[in-house]
Amino acid sequence: MTNKSVTRRGVLKSGAVAGTGLALPTIFTASSAAAFTNEPTGSSVTLGFNVPQTGPYAEEGNDELLAQQLAVEHLNGEGDGGCLNTFSSKALQGNGILGKKVEFVTGDTQTKSDAARASAKSMIEKDGAIMINGGSSSGVAVAVQGLCQEAGVIFMAGLTHANDTTGKDKKANGFRHFFNAYMSGAALAPVLAAEMGKERRAYHLTADYNWGWTQEESIVASTEALGWETVNTVKTPLASTDFSSYIAPVLNSGADVLVLNHYGGNMVNSLTNAIQFGLLDKVANGKDFKIVVPLYSELMAAGAGENIKGVLGSMNWNWQLQDEGTKAFVKSFGEKYGKPPSNSAQTCYAQVLLYADAVERAGTFNPCGVVEALEDFEFDGLGNGPTWYRGADHQCFKDVLVVRGNQNPTNAYDTLEIVEITPRAQVEYDPEHPMFAGGDLGKCNPGA
């Protein structure tokens, strides 16, 4: 495995911080020999891994990078092969991609759209990256997906949960394996109603960017449809670290449920502040007060510690699943890094393999061939069971998990328990659903 980021990483970070190139027009050059950007003509092919290595989602990003590196090893025939052994498609043989050794470069998104675009642009223009993968923010995903569409390369999204990524901001060159906010609402609401009752009054604190907005909209719609009332919705800055001033008003709001539409370090801090205010010890409207975290990750749960116990949420994937793909990935990741992978790590690992497999099946690196191979592709063996990449919007559909903070963990990684595996059919929706309407998938851009 060759990691060309050893010499590039500092340049990428400093360039993004300084805003290098952000004021300049984006110009990409296509190969003269073939009509697509960054056609690999030598013995190797370069992938770009764009993750938050600093900022509020850095812990998620670092786990993504570990998984991406593992995927490269498996593609190059190193290690135990991981999910190459369980993937229903048998196109990948562990000899790179179309016989070319896989190399990679990395960038730091900083969980900032401008920095993410700058680092992706650098990897495409200076390093010859033919595919960009990663990210832990929907704002970043939308920005980088748009850039990749302009550049004529494929974007395999990482952790992005906003409806917009495969809704109004969908692009033909972009694909999302992660689930979305609508799916969280569809999976969570019935469980919330069953456990907490249908006469609840909810107060929402929401990260003030497109993921938070669509997460709030989805949970409000799904819970109100079952009888809940929404008392208030309050936006909080992504850069916030202390949420005390936002928690205090909840006490006198008449609410008996607090919904934290926060992720990463934001969720850890807001949940900690809520516990410090004693919300879970209070009774409101004759009911025990409850807290809900619609989008969970193992890393967030570990960061929140004791505060997470009993709190419900949803997940894209969990290392405790028992399907063959999950077991193969957990084994490989655990033996290499000494810990179970997060769901953001699994997403990036799967996306790298899915891209490589699509190239093999298409017989070309041309992004339009890759798009055709991925659209309406049905597969199994990468975790979560049978999965469908819908051609209409490039959204993956698979089972969704409802989880709870474990009341009696047996070890440091036993933070969450799976409450329900929500079947795929329950979270599917029409491509023109109002929460996803607008925008235009458009046509594949090969960059010519």
Side-chain angles (χ1 to χ4, degrees):
M1 176 180 65
T2 301
N3 178 357
K4 294 194 284 189
S5 69
V6 172
T7 56
R8 290 281 311 147
R9 187 173 297 173
V11 176
L12 288 171
K13 283 188 176 181
S14 61
V17 170
T20 301
L22 291 180
L24 300 175
T26 301
I27 301 173
F28 299 98
T29 56
S31 162
S32 58
F36 63 95
T37 302
N38 291 339
E39 177 200 7
T41 55
S43 61
S44 65
V45 59
T46 301
L47 309 182
F49 298 148
N50 206 24
V51 304
Q53 299 179 50
T54 58
Y57 295 170
E59 193 171 15
E60 302 285 343
N62 289 330
D63 223 43
E64 290 179 350
L65 189 54
L66 295 179
Q68 290 161 333
Q69 293 169 344
L70 185 63
V72 169
E73 290 186 9
H74 291 164
L75 289 174
N76 286 333
E78 302 168 16
D80 63 7
C83 287
L84 266 64
N85 302 314
T86 59
F87 192 11
S88 57
S89 173
K90 301 303 178 186
L92 297 171
Q93 301 300 313
N95 62 344
I97 307 176
L98 291 183
K100 297 182 183 292
K101 184 177 182 180
V102 182
E103 301 180 348
F104 67 90
V105 290
T106 73
D108 181 8
T109 70
Q110 305 173 48
T111 318
K112 297 177 181 177
S113 296
D114 284 350
R117 280 180 63 94
S119 57
K121 183 174 183 286
S122 177
M123 287 186 283
I124 294 167
E125 290 190 338
K126 297 179 180 179
D127 301 309
I130 197 166
M131 182 272 275
I132 302 295
N133 166 250
S136 294
S137 157
S138 292
V140 161
V142 167
V144 175
Q145 181 167 259
L147 177 110
C148 288
Q149 182 70 32
E150 298 166 11
V153 302
I154 294 294
F155 176 58
M156 301 296 281
L159 195 164
T160 166
H161 191 239
N163 294 336
D164 294 349
T165 307
T166 46
K168 69 179 183 62
D169 294 307
K170 58 185 175 287
K171 302 294 182 188
N173 282 40
F175 291 84
R176 171 163 62 178
H177 184 266
F178 207 72
F179 72 148
N180 58 46
Y182 174 91
M183 296 177 184
S184 283
L188 261 178
V191 177
L192 295 178
E195 294 207 5
M196 301 179 189
K198 295 184 178 181
E199 296 181 358
R200 283 283 184 168
R201 308 188 74 218
Y203 191 111
H204 288 249
L205 292 182
T206 300
D208 194 12
Y209 72 107
N210 63 348
W211 167 69
W213 307 330
T214 62
Q215 178 66 88
E216 177 190 288
E217 178 188 25
S218 298
I219 298 298
V220 166
S222 60
T223 54
E224 287 186 351
L226 293 174
W228 284 29
E229 176 186 349
T230 304
V231 173
N232 201 1
T233 58
V234 178
K235 307 298 187 289
T236 62
L238 184 59
S240 297
T241 56
D242 185 347
F243 294 86
S244 300
S245 61
Y246 296 100
I247 300 293
V250 178
L251 297 169
N252 300 312
S253 67
D256 47 51
V257 177
L258 173 62
V259 181
L260 295 175
N261 298 301
H262 290 155
Y263 195 76
N266 288 162
M267 189 287 292
V268 171
N269 292 328
S270 62
L271 178 61
T272 298
N273 290 153
I275 299 299
Q276 289 170 342
F277 273 82
L279 287 188
L280 289 181
D281 298 324
K282 296 188 180 299
V283 174
N285 306 320
K287 304 177 181 69
D288 291 337
F289 200 97
K290 299 291 184 181
I291 298 175
V292 177
V293 176
L295 179 59
Y296 256 131
S297 82
E298 301 88 344
L299 300 173
M300 288 161 50
E306 293 279 320
N307 297 333
I308 212 73
K309 289 186 174 182
V311 177
L312 285 166
S314 69
M315 290 184 76
N316 182 67
W317 174 88
N318 184 275
W319 67 271
Q320 298 172 90
L321 289 169
Q322 291 302 302
D323 62 277
E324 294 306 309
T326 291
K327 289 192 288 186
F329 176 53
V330 170
K331 177 179 179 292
S332 293
F333 192 97
E335 289 179 352
K336 184 172 180 63
Y337 302 118
K339 63 177 184 177
S342 64
N343 71 159
S344 53
Q346 187 267 347
T347 295
C348 286
Y349 177 86
Q351 287 280 68
V352 174
L353 295 195
L354 284 164
Y355 168 79
D357 174 78
V359 172
E360 290 282 353
R361 289 187 293 109
T364 179
F365 287 99
N366 187 311
C368 293
V370 176
V371 168
E372 186 175 350
L374 281 171
E375 286 186 337
D376 290 317
F377 179 47
E378 296 192 44
F379 58 92
D380 201 346
L382 296 183
N384 290 94
T387 305
W388 172 42
Y389 239 138
R390 185 163 66 183
D393 52 8
H394 297 182
Q395 173 64 54
C396 258
F397 289 92
K398 54 191 180 299
D399 295 346
V400 170
L401 308 182
V402 176
V403 297
R404 187 196 330 268
N406 202 333
Q407 296 280 16
N408 299 293
T410 56
N411 58 61
Y413 304 107
D414 186 25
T415 52
L416 297 168
E417 60 176 335
I418 299 173
V419 176
E420 182 174 294
I421 299 177
T422 306
R424 184 174 108 186
Q426 185 176 318
V427 300
E428 290 179 349
Y429 54 87
D430 187 274
E432 292 305 313
H433 185 285
M435 289 186 188
F436 297 86
D440 181 14
L441 188 67
K443 296 181 179 180
C444 164
N445 176 24

PDB file of all heavy atoms in Angstrom, residues 199-203 229-232 247-258 279 283-287 289:
ATOM      1  N   GLU A 199     -48.763  10.598  23.470  1.00  0.00           N
ATOM      2  CA  GLU A 199     -49.093  11.956  23.926  1.00  0.00           C
ATOM      3  C   GLU A 199     -47.857  12.563  24.586  1.00  0.00           C
ATOM      4  O   GLU A 199     -47.741  12.648  25.801  1.00  0.00           O
ATOM      5  CB  GLU A 199     -50.276  11.928  24.895  1.00  0.00           C
ATOM      6  CG  GLU A 199     -51.568  11.448  24.244  1.00  0.00           C
ATOM      7  CD  GLU A 199     -52.744  11.442  25.201  1.00  0.00           C
ATOM      8  OE1 GLU A 199     -52.540  11.788  26.393  1.00  0.00           O
ATOM      9  OE2 GLU A 199     -53.859  11.114  24.774  1.00  0.00           O
ATOM     10  N   ARG A 200     -46.947  12.969  23.759  1.00  0.00           N
ATOM     11  CA  ARG A 200     -45.695  13.552  24.229  1.00  0.00           C
ATOM     12  C   ARG A 200     -45.513  14.947  23.634  1.00  0.00           C
ATOM     13  O   ARG A 200     -46.047  15.261  22.558  1.00  0.00           O
ATOM     14  CB  ARG A 200     -44.508  12.671  23.823  1.00  0.00           C
ATOM     15  CG  ARG A 200     -44.350  11.434  24.692  1.00  0.00           C
ATOM     16  CD  ARG A 200     -43.730  11.792  26.034  1.00  0.00           C
ATOM     17  NE  ARG A 200     -43.458  10.627  26.879  1.00  0.00           N
ATOM     18  CZ  ARG A 200     -42.725  10.680  27.977  1.00  0.00           C
ATOM     19  NH1 ARG A 200     -42.189  11.822  28.376  1.00  0.00           N
ATOM     20  NH2 ARG A 200     -42.531   9.599  28.699  1.00  0.00           N
ATOM     21  N   ARG A 201     -44.752  15.778  24.361  1.00  0.00           N
ATOM     22  CA  ARG A 201     -44.482  17.148  23.919  1.00  0.00           C
ATOM     23  C   ARG A 201     -42.969  17.301  23.789  1.00  0.00           C
ATOM     24  O   ARG A 201     -42.242  17.176  24.772  1.00  0.00           O
ATOM     25  CB  ARG A 201     -45.070  18.163  24.897  1.00  0.00           C
ATOM     26  CG  ARG A 201     -46.551  17.922  25.205  1.00  0.00           C
ATOM     27  CD  ARG A 201     -47.144  19.065  26.038  1.00  0.00           C
ATOM     28  NE  ARG A 201     -47.346  20.262  25.232  1.00  0.00           N
ATOM     29  CZ  ARG A 201     -47.133  21.513  25.669  1.00  0.00           C
ATOM     30  NH1 ARG A 201     -46.669  21.712  26.908  1.00  0.00           N
ATOM     31  NH2 ARG A 201     -47.356  22.539  24.884  1.00  0.00           N
ATOM     32  N   ALA A 202     -42.509  17.555  22.565  1.00  0.00           N
ATOM     33  CA  ALA A 202     -41.074  17.520  22.271  1.00  0.00           C
ATOM     34  C   ALA A 202     -40.488  18.916  22.055  1.00  0.00           C
ATOM     35  O   ALA A 202     -41.109  19.789  21.431  1.00  0.00           O
ATOM     36  CB  ALA A 202     -40.824  16.668  21.034  1.00  0.00           C
ATOM     37  N   TYR A 203     -39.270  19.071  22.548  1.00  0.00           N
ATOM     38  CA  TYR A 203     -38.477  20.295  22.381  1.00  0.00           C
ATOM     39  C   TYR A 203     -37.215  19.893  21.611  1.00  0.00           C
ATOM     40  O   TYR A 203     -36.500  18.991  22.020  1.00  0.00           O
ATOM     41  CB  TYR A 203     -38.119  20.858  23.754  1.00  0.00           C
ATOM     42  CG  TYR A 203     -37.528  22.244  23.795  1.00  0.00           C
ATOM     43  CD1 TYR A 203     -38.254  23.305  24.343  1.00  0.00           C
ATOM     44  CD2 TYR A 203     -36.243  22.500  23.341  1.00  0.00           C
ATOM     45  CE1 TYR A 203     -37.710  24.587  24.418  1.00  0.00           C
ATOM     46  CE2 TYR A 203     -35.700  23.781  23.415  1.00  0.00           C
ATOM     47  CZ  TYR A 203     -36.438  24.824  23.943  1.00  0.00           C
ATOM     48  OH  TYR A 203     -35.904  26.091  24.030  1.00  0.00           O
ATOM     49  N   GLU A 229     -46.674  16.347  20.038  1.00  0.00           N
ATOM     50  CA  GLU A 229     -46.739  17.788  19.794  1.00  0.00           C
ATOM     51  C   GLU A 229     -45.318  18.351  19.867  1.00  0.00           C
ATOM     52  O   GLU A 229     -44.533  17.964  20.723  1.00  0.00           O
ATOM     53  CB  GLU A 229     -47.621  18.463  20.846  1.00  0.00           C
ATOM     54  CG  GLU A 229     -47.675  19.978  20.734  1.00  0.00           C
ATOM     55  CD  GLU A 229     -48.430  20.634  21.875  1.00  0.00           C
ATOM     56  OE1 GLU A 229     -49.091  19.910  22.658  1.00  0.00           O
ATOM     57  OE2 GLU A 229     -48.339  21.875  22.005  1.00  0.00           O
ATOM     58  N   THR A 230     -45.007  19.263  18.969  1.00  0.00           N
ATOM     59  CA  THR A 230     -43.695  19.921  18.987  1.00  0.00           C
ATOM     60  C   THR A 230     -43.843  21.260  19.692  1.00  0.00           C
ATOM     61  O   THR A 230     -44.539  22.154  19.212  1.00  0.00           O
ATOM     62  CB  THR A 230     -43.165  20.131  17.560  1.00  0.00           C
ATOM     63  OG1 THR A 230     -43.118  18.863  16.883  1.00  0.00           O
ATOM     64  CG2 THR A 230     -41.773  20.741  17.586  1.00  0.00           C
ATOM     65  N   VAL A 231     -43.183  21.398  20.832  1.00  0.00           N
ATOM     66  CA  VAL A 231     -43.288  22.614  21.649  1.00  0.00           C
ATOM     67  C   VAL A 231     -42.429  23.730  21.088  1.00  0.00           C
ATOM     68  O   VAL A 231     -42.860  24.889  21.005  1.00  0.00           O
ATOM     69  CB  VAL A 231     -42.871  22.313  23.106  1.00  0.00           C
ATOM     70  CG1 VAL A 231     -42.800  23.590  23.927  1.00  0.00           C
ATOM     71  CG2 VAL A 231     -43.837  21.321  23.732  1.00  0.00           C
ATOM     72  N   ASN A 232     -41.185  23.402  20.697  1.00  0.00           N
ATOM     73  CA  ASN A 232     -40.273  24.431  20.201  1.00  0.00           C
ATOM     74  C   ASN A 232     -39.137  23.772  19.420  1.00  0.00           C
ATOM     75  O   ASN A 232     -38.806  22.606  19.646  1.00  0.00           O
ATOM     76  CB  ASN A 232     -39.694  25.246  21.354  1.00  0.00           C
ATOM     77  CG  ASN A 232     -39.170  26.607  20.904  1.00  0.00           C
ATOM     78  OD1 ASN A 232     -39.261  26.962  19.729  1.00  0.00           O
ATOM     79  ND2 ASN A 232     -38.623  27.372  21.835  1.00  0.00           N
ATOM     80  N   ILE A 247     -30.182  24.600  27.091  1.00  0.00           N
ATOM     81  CA  ILE A 247     -30.877  23.584  27.888  1.00  0.00           C
ATOM     82  C   ILE A 247     -31.804  24.219  28.914  1.00  0.00           C
ATOM     83  O   ILE A 247     -32.926  23.738  29.149  1.00  0.00           O
ATOM     84  CB  ILE A 247     -29.862  22.671  28.609  1.00  0.00           C
ATOM     85  CG1 ILE A 247     -28.963  21.945  27.594  1.00  0.00           C
ATOM     86  CG2 ILE A 247     -30.581  21.663  29.505  1.00  0.00           C
ATOM     87  CD1 ILE A 247     -29.662  20.944  26.721  1.00  0.00           C
ATOM     88  N   ALA A 248     -31.360  25.314  29.539  1.00  0.00           N
ATOM     89  CA  ALA A 248     -32.130  25.936  30.628  1.00  0.00           C
ATOM     90  C   ALA A 248     -33.588  26.228  30.253  1.00  0.00           C
ATOM     91  O   ALA A 248     -34.512  25.918  31.031  1.00  0.00           O
ATOM     92  CB  ALA A 248     -31.426  27.208  31.097  1.00  0.00           C
ATOM     93  N   PRO A 249     -33.879  26.796  29.069  1.00  0.00           N
ATOM     94  CA  PRO A 249     -35.279  27.087  28.727  1.00  0.00           C
ATOM     95  C   PRO A 249     -36.161  25.854  28.591  1.00  0.00           C
ATOM     96  O   PRO A 249     -37.397  25.962  28.664  1.00  0.00           O
ATOM     97  CB  PRO A 249     -35.165  27.825  27.384  1.00  0.00           C
ATOM     98  CG  PRO A 249     -33.778  28.368  27.350  1.00  0.00           C
ATOM     99  CD  PRO A 249     -32.949  27.347  28.053  1.00  0.00           C
ATOM    100  N   VAL A 250     -35.566  24.689  28.379  1.00  0.00           N
ATOM    101  CA  VAL A 250     -36.355  23.464  28.221  1.00  0.00           C
ATOM    102  C   VAL A 250     -37.147  23.184  29.497  1.00  0.00           C
ATOM    103  O   VAL A 250     -38.276  22.682  29.447  1.00  0.00           O
ATOM    104  CB  VAL A 250     -35.430  22.264  27.889  1.00  0.00           C
ATOM    105  CG1 VAL A 250     -36.248  20.973  27.761  1.00  0.00           C
ATOM    106  CG2 VAL A 250     -34.655  22.526  26.609  1.00  0.00           C
ATOM    107  N   LEU A 251     -36.564  23.541  30.643  1.00  0.00           N
ATOM    108  CA  LEU A 251     -37.158  23.207  31.944  1.00  0.00           C
ATOM    109  C   LEU A 251     -38.542  23.811  32.131  1.00  0.00           C
ATOM    110  O   LEU A 251     -39.406  23.211  32.768  1.00  0.00           O
ATOM    111  CB  LEU A 251     -36.230  23.673  33.074  1.00  0.00           C
ATOM    112  CG  LEU A 251     -34.848  22.992  33.116  1.00  0.00           C
ATOM    113  CD1 LEU A 251     -33.926  23.726  34.084  1.00  0.00           C
ATOM    114  CD2 LEU A 251     -34.999  21.538  33.517  1.00  0.00           C
ATOM    115  N   ASN A 252     -38.770  24.980  31.572  1.00  0.00           N
ATOM    116  CA  ASN A 252     -40.050  25.665  31.755  1.00  0.00           C
ATOM    117  C   ASN A 252     -40.864  25.758  30.464  1.00  0.00           C
ATOM    118  O   ASN A 252     -41.751  26.592  30.339  1.00  0.00           O
ATOM    119  CB  ASN A 252     -39.806  27.080  32.300  1.00  0.00           C
ATOM    120  CG  ASN A 252     -39.092  27.063  33.633  1.00  0.00           C
ATOM    121  OD1 ASN A 252     -39.463  26.326  34.548  1.00  0.00           O
ATOM    122  ND2 ASN A 252     -38.042  27.869  33.748  1.00  0.00           N
ATOM    123  N   SER A 253     -40.571  24.862  29.532  1.00  0.00           N
ATOM    124  CA  SER A 253     -41.203  24.937  28.214  1.00  0.00           C
ATOM    125  C   SER A 253     -42.509  24.151  28.120  1.00  0.00           C
ATOM    126  O   SER A 253     -43.258  24.308  27.159  1.00  0.00           O
ATOM    127  CB  SER A 253     -40.239  24.420  27.148  1.00  0.00           C
ATOM    128  OG  SER A 253     -40.014  23.029  27.324  1.00  0.00           O
ATOM    129  N   GLY A 254     -42.739  23.266  29.088  1.00  0.00           N
ATOM    130  CA  GLY A 254     -43.892  22.374  28.994  1.00  0.00           C
ATOM    131  C   GLY A 254     -43.593  21.110  28.229  1.00  0.00           C
ATOM    132  O   GLY A 254     -44.487  20.275  28.004  1.00  0.00           O
ATOM    133  N   ALA A 255     -42.340  20.933  27.812  1.00  0.00           N
ATOM    134  CA  ALA A 255     -41.949  19.726  27.089  1.00  0.00           C
ATOM    135  C   ALA A 255     -41.646  18.592  28.059  1.00  0.00           C
ATOM    136  O   ALA A 255     -41.262  18.822  29.207  1.00  0.00           O
ATOM    137  CB  ALA A 255     -40.724  20.000  26.228  1.00  0.00           C
ATOM    138  N   ASP A 256     -41.812  17.356  27.584  1.00  0.00           N
ATOM    139  CA  ASP A 256     -41.427  16.192  28.389  1.00  0.00           C
ATOM    140  C   ASP A 256     -40.465  15.279  27.617  1.00  0.00           C
ATOM    141  O   ASP A 256     -40.137  14.195  28.076  1.00  0.00           O
ATOM    142  CB  ASP A 256     -42.656  15.412  28.870  1.00  0.00           C
ATOM    143  CG  ASP A 256     -43.681  15.162  27.778  1.00  0.00           C
ATOM    144  OD1 ASP A 256     -43.279  14.671  26.706  1.00  0.00           O
ATOM    145  OD2 ASP A 256     -44.871  15.467  27.989  1.00  0.00           O
ATOM    146  N   VAL A 257     -40.025  15.743  26.433  1.00  0.00           N
ATOM    147  CA  VAL A 257     -38.992  15.040  25.655  1.00  0.00           C
ATOM    148  C   VAL A 257     -38.063  16.090  25.057  1.00  0.00           C
ATOM    149  O   VAL A 257     -38.534  17.094  24.513  1.00  0.00           O
ATOM    150  CB  VAL A 257     -39.597  14.198  24.508  1.00  0.00           C
ATOM    151  CG1 VAL A 257     -38.483  13.547  23.686  1.00  0.00           C
ATOM    152  CG2 VAL A 257     -40.540  13.143  25.037  1.00  0.00           C
ATOM    153  N   LEU A 258     -36.760  15.862  25.171  1.00  0.00           N
ATOM    154  CA  LEU A 258     -35.778  16.709  24.495  1.00  0.00           C
ATOM    155  C   LEU A 258     -35.167  15.905  23.360  1.00  0.00           C
ATOM    156  O   LEU A 258     -34.625  14.820  23.571  1.00  0.00           O
ATOM    157  CB  LEU A 258     -34.672  17.149  25.463  1.00  0.00           C
ATOM    158  CG  LEU A 258     -33.484  17.899  24.835  1.00  0.00           C
ATOM    159  CD1 LEU A 258     -33.938  19.210  24.190  1.00  0.00           C
ATOM    160  CD2 LEU A 258     -32.390  18.168  25.874  1.00  0.00           C
ATOM    161  N   LEU A 279     -32.315  16.664  33.664  1.00  0.00           N
ATOM    162  CA  LEU A 279     -33.546  16.460  32.906  1.00  0.00           C
ATOM    163  C   LEU A 279     -34.106  15.050  33.055  1.00  0.00           C
ATOM    164  O   LEU A 279     -35.328  14.868  33.182  1.00  0.00           O
ATOM    165  CB  LEU A 279     -33.305  16.762  31.424  1.00  0.00           C
ATOM    166  CG  LEU A 279     -33.145  18.243  31.026  1.00  0.00           C
ATOM    167  CD1 LEU A 279     -33.104  18.375  29.512  1.00  0.00           C
ATOM    168  CD2 LEU A 279     -34.275  19.090  31.589  1.00  0.00           C
ATOM    169  N   VAL A 283     -39.948  14.974  36.193  1.00  0.00           N
ATOM    170  CA  VAL A 283     -41.256  14.535  35.718  1.00  0.00           C
ATOM    171  C   VAL A 283     -41.950  15.755  35.127  1.00  0.00           C
ATOM    172  O   VAL A 283     -41.985  16.825  35.759  1.00  0.00           O
ATOM    173  CB  VAL A 283     -42.103  13.929  36.852  1.00  0.00           C
ATOM    174  CG1 VAL A 283     -43.518  13.624  36.360  1.00  0.00           C
ATOM    175  CG2 VAL A 283     -41.439  12.680  37.412  1.00  0.00           C
ATOM    176  N   ALA A 284     -42.470  15.635  33.912  1.00  0.00           N
ATOM    177  CA  ALA A 284     -43.183  16.727  33.256  1.00  0.00           C
ATOM    178  C   ALA A 284     -44.469  16.188  32.655  1.00  0.00           C
ATOM    179  O   ALA A 284     -44.473  15.104  32.066  1.00  0.00           O
ATOM    180  CB  ALA A 284     -42.313  17.353  32.169  1.00  0.00           C
ATOM    181  N   ASN A 285     -45.554  16.925  32.848  1.00  0.00           N
ATOM    182  CA  ASN A 285     -46.863  16.495  32.331  1.00  0.00           C
ATOM    183  C   ASN A 285     -47.246  15.108  32.844  1.00  0.00           C
ATOM    184  O   ASN A 285     -47.906  14.329  32.146  1.00  0.00           O
ATOM    185  CB  ASN A 285     -46.865  16.503  30.799  1.00  0.00           C
ATOM    186  CG  ASN A 285     -46.448  17.842  30.218  1.00  0.00           C
ATOM    187  OD1 ASN A 285     -46.824  18.895  30.729  1.00  0.00           O
ATOM    188  ND2 ASN A 285     -45.642  17.809  29.160  1.00  0.00           N
ATOM    189  N   GLY A 286     -46.788  14.805  34.066  1.00  0.00           N
ATOM    190  CA  GLY A 286     -47.098  13.518  34.670  1.00  0.00           C
ATOM    191  C   GLY A 286     -46.311  12.356  34.089  1.00  0.00           C
ATOM    192  O   GLY A 286     -46.623  11.192  34.354  1.00  0.00           O
ATOM    193  N   LYS A 287     -45.255  12.663  33.304  1.00  0.00           N
ATOM    194  CA  LYS A 287     -44.462  11.614  32.648  1.00  0.00           C
ATOM    195  C   LYS A 287     -42.986  11.801  32.984  1.00  0.00           C
ATOM    196  O   LYS A 287     -42.519  12.923  33.182  1.00  0.00           O
ATOM    197  CB  LYS A 287     -44.644  11.680  31.128  1.00  0.00           C
ATOM    198  CG  LYS A 287     -46.088  11.598  30.636  1.00  0.00           C
ATOM    199  CD  LYS A 287     -46.140  11.758  29.127  1.00  0.00           C
ATOM    200  CE  LYS A 287     -47.579  11.714  28.607  1.00  0.00           C
ATOM    201  NZ  LYS A 287     -48.351  12.908  29.026  1.00  0.00           N
ATOM    202  N   PHE A 289     -39.343  12.457  32.219  1.00  0.00           N
ATOM    203  CA  PHE A 289     -38.724  13.186  31.112  1.00  0.00           C
ATOM    204  C   PHE A 289     -37.794  12.259  30.339  1.00  0.00           C
ATOM    205  O   PHE A 289     -37.096  11.419  30.912  1.00  0.00           O
ATOM    206  CB  PHE A 289     -37.934  14.391  31.642  1.00  0.00           C
ATOM    207  CG  PHE A 289     -37.677  15.440  30.604  1.00  0.00           C
ATOM    208  CD1 PHE A 289     -38.496  16.550  30.496  1.00  0.00           C
ATOM    209  CD2 PHE A 289     -36.624  15.316  29.698  1.00  0.00           C
ATOM    210  CE1 PHE A 289     -38.275  17.516  29.516  1.00  0.00           C
ATOM    211  CE2 PHE A 289     -36.391  16.262  28.719  1.00  0.00           C
ATOM    212  CZ  PHE A 289     -37.217  17.379  28.627  1.00  0.00           C
TER     213      PHE A 289
END
